[in-house]
Amino acid sequence: MTLGVGLIGCGLNGRFHSQAIRAIARKGALDITYAAACDADPARAASFADVTGAAAYTDPQALIDSPDVDAVYICVPTAFHKDLVLRAAASGKHIFCEKPLATNLADVEEMVAAVDKAGVQAGVGLVLRHSPVMTVLKSLMDDPTLGRMMAIIFRDDQFFPIQGHYASEWRKDREVAGAGTLLEHSIHDVDVLRWFGGDVRAVRGTTRNFAGFEGIEDVAFAYLDFESGAQADLISIWHSVLGRPSTRHLEVFFEKGFFSADDDYIGPVHYQVHALNAQTISADDVRKRYLAALGLNDDMFEGLLRHSLEDYFFLKACVDGTPTFPDFHVALEAHRVVDAIYRSADSGGEILILS
């Protein structure tokens, strides 16, 4: 049976997902149809729908109730995620929700319980789980001859996303965004740190506000202590260097190995292990290794890379009936760490034990 897809929220994130859904349907990569688009602005909803012949809505409940919609994409600002997730789950619709799932941990826990009870697929926009460079890095670091992981250094910076091509004015409003750079942006990084380092035992955090938007930090420092004994330092920054792209710099040290990357999606990867000379895996080789690991061909990769492979894997899970990944439970664990970092920052940088 053809899977009908509906999208709520025709902003920047909605546009990326809309392009990916269209590409997947156009290529015939999966048996799906773009059934509906919804936005509070009728013109924006119509602009999305007109490209694909989908139905246009301004009422999200009407889209959720549509018999033509089997899977709902939720791409609205963070504060409105919970209500739409609960509605879609109650209607038995599969759900893809952008990150972060909610503005606070209690809401995330309620959302996870709702999708579990409904028995629907529940994917989340933690896009770095589908990053070729992160996937290749993880495979390299799984080498048992490297010894124990010792430390991770992770810096993430971008210009404050209320301006430039992001133009997300709502991200300066605590009532809508919930918080600043740590929650809104670096929940990706916390998820990667858990992916690489495992369960987190304790955290310590501090935040600063330079731009002056109340409750919206633009600098966050976090220390993570993993159950394995490894440690990580994360710095997340929203600055005003408008000509600088969004960048991530990652370094990982093992007892007998070192890995680094300056691109969070395609590479290259630099590494040095044991007594060998430093080596580099080019961006092209990163792509080839990623394709081989996932069983994708070049045509599929080139057609979807500029959008996001996360959409392909979520929709494939909906079509095949296999578990989606990353799901709401993965996001919940990242939210628990982020919540603890904020509580540590509020306490003046006290170390908080998670387990």
Side-chain angles (χ1 to χ4, degrees), residues 6 25 44 57 94 102 106 120 144 146 158 166 173 265 284 316 319 350-352:
R44 286 211 305 188
Y57 293 93
H94 301 307
V120 297
L146 296 173
Q158 66 173 23
Y166 298 107
D173 183 348
Y265 204 74
D284 188 54
K316 188 175 189 301
V319 169
E350 176 186 356
I351 293 179
L352 294 184

Side-chain angles (χ1 to χ4, degrees), residues 208-230:
R208 295 289 184 272
N209 184 320
F210 285 81
F213 300 114
E214 184 178 357
I216 303 292
E217 82 285 349
D218 39 40
V219 175
F221 276 78
Y223 159 82
L224 282 69
D225 183 7
F226 297 100
E227 294 280 3
S228 67

Side-chain angles (χ1 to χ4, degrees), residues 4 8 11 18 32 43 46 53 60 70 101 111 119 140 144 158 165 177 189 209 216 238 284 297 301 306 308 328 354:
I8 302 173
S18 180
I32 67 169
D70 305 298
L101 282 183
M111 293 159 73
L140 292 169
Q158 66 173 23
H165 62 277
D189 309 326
N209 184 320
I216 303 292
W238 278 349
D284 188 54
N297 57 47
F301 184 74
R306 63 190 178 93
S308 173
F328 276 27
L354 276 70

